[in-house]
Amino acid sequence: MIHVRGLAKEYADLKRGKFAALAGISFDAFPGEIYGLLGPNGAGKTTALRIISTVLRPTAGTATVNGFDVLTQASQVRHQIGFMSANTGVYDRMTAWEMVEFFGKLYGLSDELLRTRMEDLFTRLKMNDIRDQLGAKMSTGMKQKVSIARALVHNPPILIFDEATSGLDVLVARALLNTVAELRDQGKCVVFSTHIMREAEKLCNRLAIMYRGLILAEGTLEELRDKHRENDLEELFFRLISDHERARAEAGNAADDAAAAVQDIQASVKS
Ligand SMILES: Nc1ncnc2c1ncn2[C@@H]1O[C@H](COP(=O)(O)OP(=O)(O)OP(=O)(O)O)[C@@H](O)[C@H]1O
Ligand SMILES: [Mg+2]
């Protein structure tokens, strides 16, 4: 399972200066559930998932994966996780079989175990017809299958899907979502990020609605609907975001007022 506490990531950017891509988020994800991160572009989903999979270091906060700390036990964490995103690399000059085998070997699987796993995966994901296909000649859907096989080859207890269906047609996307649901049913802990309401609604057992590096709301779909008295997830999503923007604008106005008051006081002291 995954425990995230106060996770923050600050970037320094020429245009924006210092800004928080993640502003302190906390959540837990458990075996046998799909935990969704739902948020618009730039909300911080990928940043959070990359920290959890040890690709990126946080500025503050902690995350543990099956008891291992992402900062101090990165190598153990990587063995617990299978990571898949829309742009997980598929190499042009390797075949489907070679790529999955390559990653299995990186994880240190024995030849025999690796072969059994791969036979099983290629059958389950219906990849036997593309065994010898080179990456360069694969369609997007074929590449996605290779990416899934690559994420599953070491049979990790935790799977992370970052916008995994982006660029897929409805048929391939549906097949991928079915695979994700099967993994959950096998008892895996799945974290799934998306900006597509329908995917989140259909698939996720619990959801975090993310915006500007924060979790604005969290819970099961029922809990969110009850708490915010709104049945339509899309409406709920827009409402949370516009409330947040309004609060930000008010805080901004309050800060402007305070600055103006300070200037007034300084001016009156001088005169
Ligand atoms: N290396 C970086 N340097 C500076 N800013 C970055 C960097 N990586 C991400 N960001 C910024 O951090 C914020 C969060 O980005 P992130 O990729 O986590 O969002 P996301 O929720 O995954 O969005 P999307 O739905 O577009 O994938 C954005 O404002 C982005 O511009
Ligand atoms: Mg992203």
Side-chain angles (χ1 to χ4, degrees), residues 7-224:
L7 213 55
K9 178 75 186 175
E10 219 171 53
Y11 281 116
D13 197 272
L14 276 181
K15 217 168 110 199
R16 293 177 282 194
K18 254 192 185 178
F19 85 104
L22 268 189
I25 64 162
S26 302
F27 69 87
D28 300 299
F30 299 100
E33 78 169 351
I34 300 176
Y35 189 87
L37 299 183
L38 177 66
N41 294 137
K45 306 180 294 294
T46 301
T47 304
L49 297 180
R50 293 182 74 192
I51 293 173
I52 295 168
S53 34
T54 78
V55 182
L56 205 64
R57 288 174 75 85
T59 317
T62 58
T64 60
V65 173
N66 242 3
F68 299 108
D69 186 282
V70 294
L71 278 177
T72 57
Q73 296 170 298
S75 146
Q76 287 99 318
V77 168
R78 283 196 282 270
H79 279 83
Q80 309 299 313
I81 285 183
F83 186 95
M84 193 216 158
S85 76
N87 35 21
T88 310
V90 165
Y91 307 125
D92 280 357
R93 281 182 285 184
M94 282 170 106
T95 65
W97 187 266
E98 286 166 349
M99 272 182 269
V100 180
E101 189 176 46
F102 175 75
F103 282 94
K105 285 188 175 158
L106 274 188
Y107 284 111
L109 299 185
S110 72
D111 288 351
E112 203 188 324
L113 180 60
L114 180 56
R115 187 159 184 100
T116 327
R117 282 264 172 80
M118 286 182 64
E119 291 290 355
D120 175 52
L121 274 177
F122 272 66
T123 307
R124 264 201 293 144
L125 297 172
K126 300 192 176 61
M127 289 172 61
N128 282 317
D129 55 335
I130 60 159
R131 268 186 196 226
D132 302 319
Q133 185 104 311
L134 285 174
K137 295 188 177 175
M138 286 180 196
S139 71
T140 310
M142 292 172 186
K143 286 182 180 168
Q144 296 288 70
K145 283 190 177 184
V146 175
S147 301
I148 299 178
R150 167 186 155 171
L152 296 180
V153 69
H154 53 305
N155 194 24
I158 290 156
L159 290 154
I160 295 180
F161 292 89
D162 187 20
E163 308 263 3
T165 57
S166 119
L168 298 183
D169 72 45
V170 281
L171 292 177
V172 183
R174 201 182 161 90
L176 187 136
L177 297 182
N178 287 338
T179 308
V180 175
E182 273 169 34
L183 290 164
R184 181 253 325 267
D185 297 341
Q186 288 164 18
K188 306 277 189 196
C189 168
V190 183
V191 182
F192 185 91
S193 90
T194 184
H195 57 262
I196 306 170
M197 307 287 150
R198 251 183 75 76
E199 273 184 2
E201 243 168 347
K202 274 181 79 170
L203 199 63
C204 299
N205 299 90
R206 287 189 303 131
L207 276 177
I209 297 184
M210 285 189 71
Y211 185 64
R212 286 191 187 272
L214 293 165
I215 293 181
L216 298 185
E218 199 222 27
T220 65
L221 208 50
E222 274 68 39
E223 285 167 352
L224 289 170

